[in-house]
Every structure is written in C-alpha cells, then in structure tokens.
C-alpha cells in the first residue's frame, strides 16, 4: 500500500459506458507524478456516454473512488472528471483588432483576448475548453510571438470545445451525490491526447480515434492543440452485442469471445478452429454450443467495417485528407481488439498505431493499456503538465492560484512564452 503523502492530491475520474475508473496521484519533489491508488467498477446507468440512471451511476462512482482511497490510504474531496458523450462539438472563434501600424504591445494582446472572451460563447452549449491558437499579423498566419512586430491588424483564432449543458449537469450531479466536489469537467479527447500523443505528433498533425464502449470520438490535433472533433455513436460494446445476438449468448460470454478469440483480421485457419459458448438460459450440465472462429469473425468484421467506414468519413469531413504519412492513433478499450490497427491502416490508407498512456510511477499494469488513456490524461492535465487548456466547469471558470479568470489565464500563458 502507498504511504500517506503531504503533497497535494489529484484525483482523476473517468465515467464511461463500460467502466468507471478512479486514479489518485501526487507530485513528488522531483516533479514526477506518482500513483497512490486506483479503483475500477463496472459502469451502470451510462449509455452512449450520457448518464441515464442517477442512482446506479452514483453507486459506481462511489465504489470506484472508495477503492482508490483504500489503496492509497488517503481521503479525497474533489475530482477531475471526463466527458466523452456524443454531444461534444468544436469550433474556432476568430477575433481581430485594428492597430494602425504601430508595434504590438502587451496591452494590444490584452484587448484582443478581452474580445476573445466574448467570442467563445457557443450558443446554448457550455464551453469546456477555449484554446488560443497562433496569431495573425495583417493576414499572415502562424505567428507565435507578435509582441514587437508592426501591424495594421492583429488577430487570433480561439479553438473552442463545447457540450450540451444538461448532460454535463447530470454528470456533475452524479459526482456530487457521491459526496465529491468537481474541480473541472474535461472533454475526453483533450485528456486522451495528452496521455498518448507525442508532442511532435500534436505539433505536426495527427488524428486521434477513441474507440470507447458506446461512442467513438475522432479528433484532429495540430500545432499542439485540438483543432477538430467528430463523434460517432458506435463503439466496442456494439461488437459485443452483435456477438450476443448472433449466437444467443450472454453479454459477458460475448465479451469473452471477442477478447480471447476475436480479431479485426481474418485467417484461413478460422474455418478449422472451434469455439465453445454457453447459450442464454442453458441449464447447468447442458452441452455448450460450438461455433467456428470464422463465424465469430464474420460478426466482428461486419461491425468493424461499419465503424471504420464512419471513421474514414469523419476524417474526411474534418479535412484530414493530406499525405499518406499523416498518422492515426487508436486508443480506448476498442483499440485492444486484436489486429485492429493493421485492419484500419489498410482501409484508411495511412499509418495507424495503438496509443497507450504515458508511464506514471506506480501505475498498475492493468491501467497501462489504451482503455485508460483518458484517465491518465486527466491526471496529467490536473497536475499542470499542460498549460494549453482553459478549463471551465459547468459554465463557471475553474480558478487556479495563478489565475484571475479566463482572460488572466490566457495572458499568463502568453507571458510564459505560450
């Protein structure tokens, strides 16, 4: 068991459609993150990323957090929570001010960002993240440090990630019902990208595909930030359900068949390999049904092909149609399906790899796979390892010790060479 720590505690809480995971970490004196405890429970009352049963969801959250507390021998009060439902949207707000040809000064940046604060409103949606991109000087894009340059017009694009407010309030209510505070609610693509994409990938351009249980989020990252987002209401659980329906087996048996025998790639040997499965309602002692691996593969491939085609369409709609070398990274529990990266590489026509979260001292082996990228990313984001995210929880800005609201945090980031 981990010894109690005097360092500030950080708790990440990932509430998905298949599992609820909690991770308690602290920062050592050398600045490295260290895991104190973790917990996981089967998710109940969540469908397609949305809370559908308050009581069941609250119990799963409470049990996952209590498990992490027992392991770490600490008690936590607040969490950083993920939100990965299909209601996530992204947009870019453009702001521009007239300078009249003089040199750009800090006051000009402040005026520009004051205008940006008003521009990030996303209609009836709640803004989760607002991220200032590179600046524009007289129409010339890609300026990192405009101060000192002469310009007639100074502009900036602010990338915004927003969500419908009702599902966010439901998530917030579930967590608070478990007697926990909510520090911030973070869009899962933002957290997952921080955990499993390299800085160079995020700078040059990469597509991150989160294959969740009920939802697949496709996000583009370039220039070190998230620049586009699409959600697909399909996931790994749909493959499991198809197997259960096709062969008349329980979901837990269908999941076992998928994990142990399933693959995204077929083989001539599949016709000769027999698999046993217990039918729904079978009595003890009844003979299990026998199917060929080829029959199982037929069911899996049909759903994988459907999902891959929708991912391809989402990438094209986001403009991810450049050189073949631009990479796609798969993460989420669905990325653990055998040979899924090889299959999608052939269909998408570009390099595809499975993204696993970066290693944190003390991270359990069971949490080192792609299914836990969002959880690890939340911990990294909360620890302050990334200064490029502006977190807003349910419409109210999350205050930091160095912050004085949204605009102040943007200015602090700029002063630090952002």
């Amino acid at each position: 068991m981990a010894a109690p720590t005097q360092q500030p505690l950080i708790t990440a809480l990932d509430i998905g459609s298949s599992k609820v995971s909690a991770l308690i970490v602290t920062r050592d004196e050398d600045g490295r993150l260290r895991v104190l405890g973790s917990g996981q429970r089967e998710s109940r009352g969540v469908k397609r990323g949305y809370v559908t049963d308050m009581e069941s969801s609250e119990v799963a959250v409470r049990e996952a957090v209590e498990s992490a507390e027992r392991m770490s021998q600490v008690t936590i009060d607040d969490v950083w929570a993920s939100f990965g439902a299909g209601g996530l949207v992204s947009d870019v707000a453009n702001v521009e001010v007239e300078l009249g040809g003089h040199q750009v000064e800090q006051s000009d940046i402040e005026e520009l960002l004051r205008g940006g604060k008003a521009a990030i409103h996303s209609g009836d949606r709640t803004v989760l993240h607002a991220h200032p991109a590179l600046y524009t000087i007289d129409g010339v894009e890609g300026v990192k440090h405009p101060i000192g340059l002469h310009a007639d017009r100074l502009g900036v694009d602010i990338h915004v990630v927003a969500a419908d407010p009702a599902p966010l309030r439901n998530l917030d209510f579930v967590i608070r019902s478990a007697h926990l505070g909510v520090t911030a609610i973070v869009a899962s693509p933002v957290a997952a990208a921080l955990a499993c994409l390299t800085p160079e990938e995020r700078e040059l351009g990469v597509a991150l595909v989160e294959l969740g249980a009920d939802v697949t989020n496709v996000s583009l990252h370039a220039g070190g930030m998230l620049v586009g987002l699409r959600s697909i209401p399909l996931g790994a659980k749909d493959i499991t359900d198809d197997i259960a329906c096709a062969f008349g087996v329980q979901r837990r048996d269908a999941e076992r068949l998928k994990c142990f025998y399933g693959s995204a790639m077929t083989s001539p040997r599949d016709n000769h390999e027999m698999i046993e499965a217990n039918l729904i309602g079978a009595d003890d002692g009844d003979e299990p049904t026998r199917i060929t691996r080829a029959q199982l593969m037929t069911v899996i491939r049909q759903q994988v092909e459907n999902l891959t085609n929708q991912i391809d369409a989402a990438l094209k709609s986001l403009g991810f149609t450049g050189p073949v070398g631009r990479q796609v990274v798969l993460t989420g529990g669905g990325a653990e399906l055998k040979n899924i990266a090889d299959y999608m590489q052939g269909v998408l026509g570009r390099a595809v790899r499975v993204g696993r979260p970066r290693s944190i001292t003390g991270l359990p082996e069971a949490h080192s796979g792609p299914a836990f990228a969002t959880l690890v990313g939340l911990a990294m984001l909360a620890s302050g390892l990334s200064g490029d995210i502006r977190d807003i929880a349910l419409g109210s800005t999350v205050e930091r010790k160095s912050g004085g609201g949204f605009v102040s945090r943007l200015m602090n980031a700029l002063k630090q060479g952002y």
Side-chain angles (χ1 to χ4, degrees):
M1 290 188 177
T5 176
Q6 299 301 316
Q7 296 294 327
L9 300 175
I10 298 166
T11 304
L13 181 65
D14 183 20
I15 303 176
S17 299
S18 65
K19 68 181 186 309
V20 176
S21 304
L23 192 67
I24 301 175
V25 304
T26 189
R27 185 183 287 280
D28 288 333
E29 294 181 358
D30 60 1
R32 296 182 180 181
L33 290 181
R34 176 167 55 89
V35 175
L36 301 178
S38 62
Q40 180 179 324
R41 287 295 184 271
E42 179 184 0
S43 183
R44 299 184 293 272
V46 179
K47 182 67 175 177
R48 303 292 179 196
Y50 295 100
V51 174
T52 56
D53 186 323
M54 289 286 188
E55 184 176 353
S56 297
S57 300
E58 181 267 323
V59 171
V61 167
R62 180 161 39 82
E63 290 180 349
V65 172
E66 287 176 352
S67 177
E69 287 179 326
R70 284 194 299 270
M71 180 181 293
S72 61
Q73 297 182 331
V74 299
T75 300
I76 58 98
D77 298 315
D78 305 288
V79 301
W80 288 65
S82 67
F83 182 79
L88 287 171
V89 297
S90 65
D91 197 6
V92 175
N94 180 266
V95 186
E96 194 172 75
V97 294
E98 293 289 338
L99 297 185
H102 70 254
Q103 282 185 304
V104 179
E105 301 175 353
Q106 184 63 41
S107 60
D108 298 315
I109 299 294
E110 294 171 5
E111 179 185 352
L112 181 68
L113 296 178
R114 279 194 293 270
K117 181 179 179 181
I120 68 170
H121 296 300
S122 188
D124 295 331
R125 291 187 169 92
T126 298
V127 175
L128 290 175
H129 306 282
H131 182 181
L134 298 178
Y135 291 84
T136 302
I137 295 289
D138 295 332
V140 178
E141 299 177 344
V143 179
K144 290 186 177 181
H145 306 290
I147 293 179
L149 299 176
H150 289 82
D152 291 316
R153 300 187 317 278
L154 172 67
V156 66
D157 289 335
I158 299 178
H159 188 263
V160 178
V161 179
D164 295 330
L168 289 174
R169 292 192 183 101
N170 289 337
L171 184 67
D172 177 79
F173 183 80
V174 163
I175 298 171
R176 295 186 189 278
S177 296
H179 308 293
L180 296 165
V182 181
T183 303
I185 296 178
V186 177
S188 63
V190 173
L194 190 61
C196 64
L197 298 182
T198 67
E200 189 170 15
E201 284 176 329
R202 297 177 67 204
E203 185 68 30
L204 296 178
V206 63
L208 179 66
V209 178
E210 295 177 90
L211 299 172
D214 277 348
V215 177
T216 296
N217 284 315
V218 180
S219 56
L220 299 190
H221 302 259
M225 57 177 263
L226 188 153
V227 296
L229 176 65
R230 293 287 187 276
S231 291
I232 301 169
L234 288 174
K237 189 182 288 186
D238 291 286
I239 300 176
T240 301
D241 288 348
D242 282 1
I243 295 171
C245 291
F247 303 113
V249 299
Q250 295 184 26
R251 278 196 176 99
R252 65 171 180 267
D253 291 327
E255 182 71 15
R256 178 183 62 84
L257 293 175
K258 182 183 73 175
C259 294
F260 283 94
Y261 303 103
S263 173
M265 305 286 283
T266 59
S267 167
R269 298 190 302 273
D270 294 341
N271 289 303
H272 307 290
E273 185 174 349
M274 302 300 297
I275 302 171
E276 293 185 349
N278 295 317
L279 295 176
I280 295 177
D283 296 326
D284 292 341
D286 288 352
E287 287 291 327
T289 185
R290 291 169 61 85
I291 62 174
T292 65
R293 191 165 184 263
Q295 290 175 296
L296 176 66
M297 291 299 304
T298 298
V299 176
I300 292 175
R301 275 292 292 268
Q302 184 175 4
Q303 190 63 261
V304 169
E305 288 175 7
N306 180 29
L307 180 57
T308 304
N309 288 337
Q310 293 201 40
I311 290 171
D312 188 35
L315 291 172
K316 290 177 179 176
S317 72
L318 290 168
F320 197 69
T321 57
V324 174
R326 297 182 71 183
Q327 193 172 45
V328 173
V329 177
L330 306 180
T331 192
E336 295 179 345
L337 179 65
K338 191 180 302 181
N339 296 320
I340 185 70
D342 292 337
Y343 173 79
M344 288 195 177
Q345 181 166 301
V347 175
L348 300 177
R350 57 182 72 247
V352 179
R353 72 171 178 88
V354 174
R356 293 175 172 80
R358 299 183 198 177
S359 178
I360 296 178
T361 302
L363 185 68
E365 181 67 26
H367 286 31
S368 62
F372 295 90
T374 296
L375 185 69
V376 173
L378 279 172
M380 296 174 65
L381 181 60
S383 71
L385 295 184
S386 172
D388 62 353
I389 302 298
R390 301 299 166 266
D391 301 291
I392 299 176
L394 295 176
S396 62
T397 303
V398 178
E399 299 292 343
R400 303 287 191 101
K401 290 183 179 179
S402 62
F406 175 77
V407 173
S408 296
R409 292 200 307 277
L410 293 186
M411 290 188 291
N412 286 338
L414 288 170
K415 291 175 183 177
Q416 295 165 6
Y418 170 77

